[in-house]
Amino acid sequence: MLFNLQWLRVKILSSQLRRVIRCISSQENLAKKAMNPPLYLDFSSEKSYMAFSQKFFEASKFVGSVSDSRKLHACLVSTGFDSSVFLRNHLLHMYSNWGSIPDVVRVFEEIENPNVFSWNTMIAGLCDSGLLKEARHLFDEMPDRDCVSWNSMMSGYFQNGQSKETLKVFILMSRESCCDPDQFSFSCALKACGSLQLLELGLQLHCFAKKFDFLEGEYVELSVLDMYVKCGAMSLAEQVFDRLSNRSLFCWNSMIFGYGKADYFGLAFDLFTRMPERDAISWNTMISLCSQHGFGLQTISLFVDMCNQGFMADSVSYSSVLSACASILDIEWGRHLHARVVRSESVLDVFVGSSLINMYAKCGKLGTAEMVFENLPEKNVFCWTSLIKGLAQFGFEEEAMVLFKKMRDVPLSSDQRTLATLLGVCSSRKDVYLGTQFHSYAVKIGFEFDVPVANSLITMYSKCKSVENAKLVFNLMPSRDVISWTAMITAFSQIGDVENASACFNKMPERNVVTWNSLLAAYVQNGFWEEGLKTYVMMLKDEGVQPDWITYSTIFGACADSAMLRLGKQIIARTAKIGLDSDVSVANGIITMYSRCGQIEDALMVFDSMRDRDLISWNAMITGYAQNGQGRKVVQMFDSMISSGVFPDHISYVGVLSGCSHSGLVSEGKYYFDSMTRCHGIDPNPEHFACMVDLLGRAGLLEDARKMIDAMPIQPSVDVWGAMLSACRIHGNTKLAELAGKHLIELDPVDSGNYVLLAKTYADAGKLDGVVEIRKTMRERGVRKNPGCSWIEAGNKVHVFTADDTDHPQINDVYTTLEEFTKGLEDTCEYVSKKSSRVSHSYHSEKLAVAFGLMSLPSWMPIHIMKNIRICTDCHDFIKLVSHVTMRKLVVRDANRFHHFSDGSCSCGDYW
């Protein structure tokens, strides 16, 4: 048997030193050394082998170092009993315990006929020192093996993180060895299955152990429990746990950990409360689970209970509670914990320091976070990333980039969180150039396929309108999670590609509420309201998904856009049933829905019932009043908002200026436009200028509107010139209309509305040549007029009509009703219906919708009609007369605003 010592020396040096240091530092060995061990007894007088063996064994108990072992070895050689295999095995064991592999090898090579114990001791020593290759070589050379031999090899592989090799040895033992596996064999194999999460093999081993009656020993059953927990099979773990007669703390802690890992937080907490006793691991596990699941207050409460019961907090406890403070932004408790750490620890632990930086950064205390960061004796990547993320979160993006550069200069390698944070900065800045550089950096350090990094890349590219690059990253990902798919759906949605967003959704292996919300938003934001509502219904049927406030805010937007008031009320009832109607965002969605369905009184009732209102709540009411033509109410609501201490934003001013414009409140509009910058420091954007041009133009102050456009510090937008053109048509100013039309067609050459409005201005002024020229230009450019359509909700259905409709199943009755009603108005009210030579222009879609409403709805019920373009003058006059003759209320929402018709008049005062 040849066993070369030289090639082992370099490999064993570091492990030998670690082993010696560990043993010397142990309290037991220090106590032994203090007893003056009898290593120097006079062994020479002993002629009896048995007496010498007894003395040698007693002396070996007091060995305190490798040096002591060698002295005892020397005594053995001097007596001549060194040929004893038994005594040399004792030497092997001593040297092995101290990790002195050269001595172990030397003693082993000097044994003429080593027995199984000699081989096993040698293998165990090599495994303990991490020399698995050498141990396996020796194992393969063994002439005979017993169960301990196999177990030593299995244990060595498992302790050194080679679980697959552990299972290979166990399988080899079961197939080829004459030794049957024992409890230790099964326990080791089960632990390997748990670390590899091989549930199916673990089940087979469980059945195998049951066949050999090894489950009667608690040791194997604990390994079975641990295996099921690590594999996430908690139902099977529960069965094992319930069978245990004497449950150790290890069992309770394993079950709590398993429940937490499987997201069964309630079961974990219930088990924790039923524990007969707890240790520090129990408390730390439960505190960590509470923090990870977002239960900030409960985490702090558990920490207080742990301290009150006499358990000392450690770095795990502090890190978990500080994370909880960060999640609920509880800076006071965070400071208290900081003070406790400073009092109890002489040096700040890097993990606790990282948690402190994270807590202060998330709470906006960036100066304190930087102070903790600078005072840390050791900094890890989490410290750097937490501070970088805090700076980026609060708008200090340049500072975040500078800090990242310092991090690279340390040098310190970035991790996934660092890259995801920096890519988030690129997303918020829409800086695709910098984002591409970070993409290259991710490729360079090997993180381009890491799921969080790839998800951040998809989001960054989609925010920068580079969806092709986002799609490329997505397609190259070797594995994806729910966030990956959701980010891709959002990317398609942002460019209006609803078809690909839907296809991506359908390919997903699993979905959560965020995914459903993304698809819902894709449909609603791109005008596919019906598909959005169908998606909501499908979402309700998914048992694993519970709609949240985002779901309902989005779906109320769909009801508002499509004016489906009845369905909206049903959804409101559902939010009340599940307790979400009091959520501020949901209530804001309800206000918007009621406002855009013409139910401004109901919107006000919801607004008044809100306990907490944010800026969006006030803006929803201001915009609602403006759309419904109640300019005075707009002004009152805006002033009430200011009085309540809520500062307006640019949307607030768009609402109040629009309200003034629709109601002809010129002086009030000018006052609010001036106060926007003077009082609140808000620079006007194109929307504000468009409102002012509309306000001045409708009031006949066309030159003032023209001067405002000329004095704009920014380029006039389509909305600005569109407002000017509308005003010119109202007041018949074809010269300014031509100027506005020219700019409109240059800015948006494909919008048919601009051509039609300019053509109508020419027609009203009698300039038929201009009409012909506009129509010719439209034909040459391939621009077609958007067909007008109107829809009305009746009988739990939405009925859509177009001009001169022929598709509706009751269209003949609708035409009969409309013609009879029109003839009656012409006879009694001197109404003249505007008809052209073409029959298709005889009846606009809103007239057909009104006739259907008169046919289908009870006489006491108001008629609500929606129209995709602006209502014309003829239809406006017609509906006013209908409201007078029938004595009922009609509400028409066109592309710009609401018209509430009652008793022959309109809420707009013919000022639209």
Side-chain angles (χ1 to χ4, degrees):
M1 177 186 61
L2 297 176
F3 203 77
N4 192 349
L5 179 63
Q6 186 63 35
W7 58 275
L8 279 172
R9 295 186 183 277
V10 175
K11 293 186 177 182
I12 65 178
L13 182 59
S14 60
S15 60
Q16 178 182 352
L17 289 175
R18 287 198 302 271
R19 188 67 176 269
V20 172
I21 292 170
R22 184 168 67 249
C23 292
I24 290 176
S25 64
S26 67
Q27 293 297 324
E28 181 181 354
N29 290 322
L30 289 174
K32 287 181 180 178
K33 289 182 73 176
M35 293 172 62
N36 296 317
L39 294 175
Y40 310 109
L41 293 175
D42 186 8
F43 290 111
S44 62
S45 62
E46 294 293 344
K47 302 300 182 182
S48 167
Y49 173 75
M50 294 301 296
F52 176 82
S53 298
Q54 183 64 33
K55 276 191 175 184
F56 188 88
F57 178 73
E58 292 295 331
S60 67
K61 294 180 180 178
F62 295 94
V63 170
S65 67
V66 178
S67 177
D68 290 344
S69 300
R70 288 170 180 162
K71 290 174 183 177
L72 196 60
H73 187 181
C75 291
L76 174 63
V77 172
S78 67
T79 61
F81 289 122
D82 57 315
S83 60
S84 168
V85 176
F86 173 77
L87 294 177
R88 282 194 174 274
N89 285 345
H90 268 297
L91 281 175
L92 282 175
H93 187 66
M94 276 193 299
Y95 283 132
S96 178
N97 282 342
W98 290 103
S100 181
I101 300 302
D103 291 307
V104 173
V105 173
R106 187 182 308 113
V107 172
F108 181 78
E109 287 182 335
E110 291 172 356
I111 302 175
E112 291 185 6
N113 296 302
N115 58 19
V116 174
F117 183 85
S118 310
W119 289 87
N120 291 345
T121 304
M122 188 67 192
I123 290 169
L126 292 172
C127 287
D128 287 344
S129 297
L131 302 172
L132 295 175
K133 185 177 180 181
E134 293 76 16
R136 183 58 186 266
H137 179 71
L138 201 63
F139 176 81
D140 292 337
E141 286 186 353
M142 286 184 72
D144 298 300
R145 305 184 187 106
D146 62 4
C147 193
V148 176
S149 311
W150 292 94
N151 289 346
S152 297
M153 202 64 240
M154 290 168 58
S155 177
Y157 276 129
F158 182 75
Q159 290 173 1
N160 286 275
Q162 297 192 27
S163 298
K164 286 185 179 179
E165 296 300 322
T166 303
L167 292 173
K168 288 179 180 178
V169 173
F170 179 82
I171 293 170
L172 191 65
M173 177 185 182
S174 304
R175 289 177 178 174
E176 301 180 9
S177 173
C178 59
C179 303
D180 290 330
D182 62 3
Q183 289 189 359
F184 187 88
S185 312
F186 278 107
S187 176
C188 200
L190 286 163
K191 288 178 180 177
C193 288
S195 66
L196 295 171
Q197 297 188 354
L198 299 175
L199 178 59
E200 186 175 350
L201 181 58
L203 279 166
Q204 293 175 2
L205 287 175
H206 187 182
C207 297
F208 197 14
K210 187 179 293 187
K211 177 181 178 181
F212 281 88
D213 293 329
F214 287 138
L215 294 180
E216 294 180 3
E218 188 177 342
Y219 190 65
V220 175
E221 199 140 33
L222 289 179
S223 298
V224 171
L225 174 68
D226 183 61
M227 181 271 296
Y228 283 138
V229 166
K230 288 179 178 176
C231 290
M234 292 310 297
S235 59
L236 296 173
E238 285 174 350
Q239 296 175 21
V240 177
F241 182 78
D242 292 339
R243 283 198 305 266
L244 290 173
S245 54
N246 298 316
R247 297 167 185 154
S248 63
L249 268 171
F250 172 81
C251 301
W252 291 90
N253 291 340
S254 293
M255 288 297 293
I256 291 171
F257 171 79
Y259 281 135
K261 184 181 176 183
D263 273 343
Y264 299 140
F265 177 79
L267 292 174
F269 190 78
D270 178 64
L271 201 64
F272 177 79
T273 58
R274 292 193 287 113
M275 289 182 74
E277 60 175 327
R278 304 179 184 122
D279 60 3
I281 295 175
S282 315
W283 284 101
N284 281 343
T285 301
M286 200 64 238
I287 289 171
S288 177
L289 288 176
C290 268
S291 178
Q292 290 170 14
H293 284 77
F295 299 107
L297 293 176
Q298 292 89 333
T299 304
I300 296 172
S301 177
L302 278 174
F303 177 79
V304 172
D305 290 343
M306 182 185 78
C307 295
N308 289 339
Q309 294 189 25
F311 290 91
M312 295 294 294
D314 57 14
S315 61
V316 176
S317 318
Y318 284 124
S319 297
S320 298
V321 183
L322 286 167
S323 296
C325 294
S327 66
I328 60 175
L329 305 180
D330 192 338
I331 188 66
E332 295 304 321
W333 245 100
R335 284 172 173 160
H336 168 73
L337 290 169
H338 191 178
R340 285 178 64 104
V341 172
V342 170
R343 287 198 303 268
S344 61
E345 304 291 339
S346 57
V347 179
L348 192 60
D349 178 83
V350 65
F351 299 105
V352 178
S354 302
S355 300
L356 281 169
I357 294 169
N358 180 56
M359 184 272 298
Y360 281 124
K362 284 188 175 179
C363 292
K365 303 297 180 182
L366 298 178
T368 310
E370 288 177 353
M371 181 186 70
V372 175
F373 178 82
E374 294 297 336
N375 291 328
L376 274 178
E378 179 187 355
K379 302 178 181 72
N380 61 12
V381 67
F382 186 77
C383 302
W384 289 88
T385 302
S386 296
L387 189 55
I388 290 170
K389 190 172 183 179
L391 291 168
Q393 180 183 350
F394 287 93
F396 298 98
E397 295 171 345
E398 290 297 332
E399 290 81 354
M401 292 297 177
V402 170
L403 190 63
F404 171 69
K405 186 177 183 302
K406 290 181 180 178
M407 175 182 168
R408 292 190 65 191
D409 293 338
V410 167
L412 189 65
S413 298
S414 306
D415 65 359
Q416 301 94 321
R417 292 181 67 255
T418 315
L419 281 170
T421 300
L422 295 167
L423 287 167
V425 172
C426 299
S427 296
S428 62
R429 297 168 65 174
K430 293 183 173 58
D431 191 340
V432 71
Y433 176 73
L434 184 60
T436 305
Q437 289 181 317
F438 279 118
H439 189 176
S440 301
Y441 178 62
V443 173
K444 179 181 178 181
I445 62 177
F447 279 138
E448 76 273 22
F449 295 132
D450 182 81
V451 174
V453 174
N455 292 345
S456 299
L457 282 168
I458 293 171
T459 302
M460 182 273 295
Y461 280 126
S462 63
K463 287 280 184 70
C464 296
K465 307 297 183 185
S466 182
V467 177
E468 285 303 316
N469 282 329
K471 190 176 179 181
L472 181 63
V473 173
F474 180 82
N475 290 335
L476 290 175
M477 291 177 71
S479 61
R480 309 178 183 105
D481 60 7
V482 176
I483 299 174
S484 315
W485 291 92
T486 305
M488 206 61 233
I489 292 171
T490 304
F492 285 126
S493 174
Q494 288 175 347
I495 62 171
D497 191 351
V498 178
E499 183 178 352
N500 270 323
S502 178
C504 194
F505 178 85
N506 292 330
K507 292 178 184 176
M508 289 185 69
E510 59 176 327
R511 305 175 182 119
N512 60 15
V513 66
V514 180
T515 314
W516 282 96
N517 288 342
S518 298
L519 182 64
L520 189 62
Y523 282 130
V524 174
Q525 291 170 4
N526 289 283
F528 296 91
W529 309 312
E530 186 175 351
E531 286 78 3
L533 294 169
K534 288 178 181 177
T535 300
Y536 168 70
V537 174
M538 290 170 57
M539 182 180 181
L540 294 179
K541 295 178 181 179
D542 190 334
E543 295 180 358
V545 175
Q546 179 65 42
D548 60 7
W549 65 269
I550 298 176
T551 311
Y552 289 108
S553 297
T554 306
I555 204 66
F556 282 132
C559 293
D561 291 339
S562 59
M564 293 184 181
L565 180 61
R566 186 172 300 179
L567 179 60
K569 288 182 176 180
Q570 293 175 1
I571 298 173
I572 290 172
R574 183 173 180 83
T575 61
K577 181 179 179 181
I578 62 177
L580 275 177
D581 59 327
S582 58
D583 182 90
V584 175
S585 298
V586 174
N588 292 343
I590 295 173
I591 292 172
T592 302
M593 190 268 294
Y594 274 134
S595 298
R596 298 199 64 188
C597 289
Q599 305 289 327
I600 193 65
E601 295 83 4
D602 291 335
L604 182 61
M605 287 177 60
V606 175
F607 179 82
D608 290 338
S609 67
M610 293 176 69
R611 288 176 296 179
D612 299 311
R613 303 178 186 129
D614 58 12
L615 178 60
I616 298 174
S617 313
W618 289 95
N619 285 348
M621 280 307 304
I622 290 170
T623 305
Y625 275 127
Q627 289 174 338
N628 283 272
Q630 300 188 30
R632 295 292 177 186
K633 291 283 188 180
V634 172
V635 171
Q636 291 175 12
M637 185 63 66
F638 185 86
D639 291 341
S640 297
M641 180 181 74
I642 301 295
S643 301
S644 66
V646 178
F647 291 96
D649 63 358
H650 69 282
I651 297 175
S652 313
Y653 274 103
V654 169
V656 72
L657 292 175
S658 176
C660 293
S661 171
H662 287 168
S663 300
L665 304 176
V666 178
S667 59
E668 290 86 346
K670 289 181 177 179
Y671 167 78
Y672 288 117
F673 183 78
D674 292 338
S675 69
M676 181 167 54
T677 304
R678 176 169 44 84
C679 298
H680 296 104
I682 300 174
D683 293 328
N685 63 27
E687 287 184 275
H688 302 119
F689 282 109
C691 290
M692 284 304 295
V693 170
D694 189 59
L695 172 69
L696 297 171
R698 288 180 185 278
L701 304 173
L702 296 177
E703 285 302 321
D704 291 346
R706 168 68 187 277
K707 290 177 182 178
M708 173 164 282
I709 294 175
D710 292 340
M712 283 177 64
I714 53 179
Q715 187 71 24
S717 65
V718 170
D719 293 333
V720 172
W721 287 113
M724 188 67 189
L725 180 57
S726 297
C728 292
R729 189 206 168 190
I730 293 172
H731 298 286
N733 191 324
T734 55
K735 182 179 179 181
L736 284 179
E738 287 176 347
L739 175 66
K742 177 183 176 183
H743 284 287
L744 275 173
I745 293 171
E746 287 178 356
L747 292 171
D748 192 358
V750 298
D751 185 0
S752 63
N754 301 328
Y755 297 93
V756 172
L757 192 57
L758 184 58
K760 287 183 177 180
T761 305
Y762 283 132
D764 291 342
K767 295 185 177 182
L768 299 182
D769 292 342
V771 176
V772 172
E773 186 63 28
I774 291 295
R775 289 178 177 173
K776 179 183 176 183
T777 304
M778 291 179 68
R779 284 194 302 271
E780 290 173 351
R781 297 184 179 183
V783 179
R784 293 189 176 184
K785 178 183 176 183
N786 293 329
C789 69
S790 300
W791 61 97
I792 180 173
E793 191 175 2
N796 292 325
K797 292 179 65 176
V798 176
H799 301 264
V800 182
F801 296 92
T802 58
D804 196 34
D805 203 328
T806 58
D807 296 331
H808 194 275
Q810 296 174 266
I811 194 62
N812 292 331
D813 295 333
V814 170
Y815 276 120
T816 300
T817 302
L818 182 57
E819 288 169 0
E820 290 176 353
F821 211 91
T822 302
K823 188 175 186 306
L825 292 178
E826 290 174 341
D827 293 341
T828 58
C829 302
E830 299 182 354
Y831 167 71
V832 178
S833 178
K834 292 186 179 180
K835 296 182 181 180
S836 70
S837 59
R838 297 177 63 186
V839 178
S840 62
H841 287 210
S842 298
Y843 296 116
H844 285 175
S845 59
E846 54 265 55
K847 286 187 179 182
L848 298 175
V850 167
F852 181 78
L854 294 171
M855 288 169 43
S856 307
L857 300 177
S859 58
W860 53 267
M861 182 180 291
I863 299 174
H864 288 262
I865 297 168
M866 270 37 78
K867 185 174 174 65
N868 66 328
I869 59 177
R870 294 187 65 188
I871 189 172
C872 69
T873 305
D874 174 53
C875 291
H876 192 268
D877 292 340
F878 174 80
I879 298 174
K880 281 199 301 184
L881 292 173
V882 170
S883 69
H884 175 68
V885 171
T886 60
M887 298 297 290
R888 66 192 299 174
K889 185 176 181 180
L890 293 92
V891 180
V892 177
R893 190 187 81 186
D894 67 9
N896 283 9
R897 59 176 297 168
F898 278 92
H899 300 267
H900 295 261
F901 298 95
S902 179
D903 197 24
S905 63
C906 180
S907 60
C908 70
D910 297 335
Y911 193 84
W912 88 100

